[in-house]
């Protein structure tokens, strides 16, 4: 695949025609953490539908920032919303489990998450329900990707949906190594400029600030909001996901479910415990 072209380099009709030619009738499981009514979910379902049958199993409400939580201590309800669309009163990870083990009769060829309304960059991946969907897919042996739109308001999901389709095709053409999954972040181009090319990046770092707002409620009790201030990211890392989207480029980061610090493994073996 030629990643040097801008992500929106093809006219829409040509884009879908090529996609339909190259990949014939995949079974695709789609979920998210913004809930079954999220417009980003619908945009990605539309963009992936030329590749095959898209089955949506998504939370019945927004479950952003629940991470990789799995519901073990209460029953889960699966509600058919319409043909191939199911809502679950659980977490994004619950949705992947029910999708693979209860809804689909055969394992999916691809698992897609998103499109999340907001970026999933740097250290924030560890909180993300969107990334947890793709991580769970990778743990279950399904080629998986997560797609996020790096925006705060005025979401136009179409460019990110087209990028999602391109990455899905690339996964099918190249295949992913075991337990590796892709984190895709699509920025909003600056006014008048096209969306930048797709860059393969590594996970960046966040600058941890005191993102806590402390207030007093009407009865005098103190309460706290987490994430009340804009948090920054470490600059000067050219090949990071954060730097790529800051330049207006699309970021694709290969992630792995094995969190072992392999570089320092030998050093730790020298410790006296
Ligand atoms: Mn979300």
């Amino acid at each position: 695949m030629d990643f040097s072209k801008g992500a929106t380099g093809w006219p829409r009709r040509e884009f879908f025609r090529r996609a339909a030619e190259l990949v014939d009738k995949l079974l695709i499981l789609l979920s998210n953490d913004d809930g079954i009514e999220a417009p980003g979910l619908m945009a990605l379902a539309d963009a992936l539908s030329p590749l095959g049958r898209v089955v949506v199993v998504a939370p019945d409400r927004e479950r952003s920032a629940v991470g990789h939580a799995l519901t073990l201590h209460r029953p889960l309800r699966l509600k058919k919303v319409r043909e191939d669309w199911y809502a679950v009163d659980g977490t994004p990870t619950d949705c992947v489990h029910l999708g693979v083990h209860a809804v689909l009769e055969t394992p999916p060829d691809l698992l897609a998450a998103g499109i999340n309304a907001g970026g999933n960059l740097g250290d924030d991946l560890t909180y993300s329900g969107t990334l947890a969907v793709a991580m769970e897919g990778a743990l279950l042996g399904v080629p998986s990707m997560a797609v996020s739109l790096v925006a705060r308001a005025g979401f136009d999901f179409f460019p990110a949906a087209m990028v999602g389709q391109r990455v899905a095709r690339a996964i099918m053409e190249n295949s992913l190594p075991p337990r590796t999954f892709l984190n895709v972040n699509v920025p909003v181009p600056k006014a008048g400029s096209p969306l930048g090319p797709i860059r393969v990046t590594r996970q960046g770092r966040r600058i941890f600030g005191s993102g806590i707002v402390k207030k007093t409620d009407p009865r005098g009790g103190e309460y706290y909001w987490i994430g009340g201030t804009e948090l920054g990211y470490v600059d000067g890392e050219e090949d990071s996901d954060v730097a790529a989207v800051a330049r207006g480029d699309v970021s694709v980061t290969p992630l792995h479910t094995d969190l072992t610090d392999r570089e320092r493994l030998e050093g730790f073996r020298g410790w006296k415990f």
Side-chain angles (χ1 to χ4, degrees), residues 33-34 62-65 116-117 120 130:
D33 75 356
D34 292 340
E62 179 170 352
R63 302 301 303 267
S64 290
N116 190 62
N120 276 302
T130 309

Side-chain angles (χ1 to χ4, degrees), residues 240-272:
S240 75
D241 52 4
V242 177
V245 299
R247 287 193 304 264
D249 295 345
V250 175
S251 167
V252 175
T253 312
L255 299 173
H256 202 276
T257 58
D258 181 354
L259 301 178
T260 309
D261 185 354
R262 291 181 185 278
E263 277 176 42
R264 294 176 190 84
L265 209 49
E266 280 311 309
F268 281 102
R269 286 188 174 128
W271 280 29
K272 286 194 170 66

Side-chain angles (χ1 to χ4, degrees), residues 182-242:
L182 299 185
N183 180 29
V184 183
N185 279 276
V186 183
V188 177
K190 292 181 183 75
S193 5
L195 186 60
I198 295 177
R199 305 283 186 197
V200 175
T201 60
R202 58 181 182 73
Q203 186 183 356
R205 291 299 324 275
R206 191 165 81 176
I207 299 162
F208 283 90
S210 58
I212 301 276
V213 174
K214 183 178 173 184
K215 299 223 173 198
T216 307
D217 70 30
R219 284 171 296 283
E222 288 170 350
Y223 67 92
Y224 300 86
W225 278 104
I226 292 175
T229 56
E230 187 79 22
L231 295 172
Y233 295 91
V234 177
D235 291 323
E237 299 178 319
E238 281 297 298
D239 60 343
S240 75
D241 52 4
V242 177

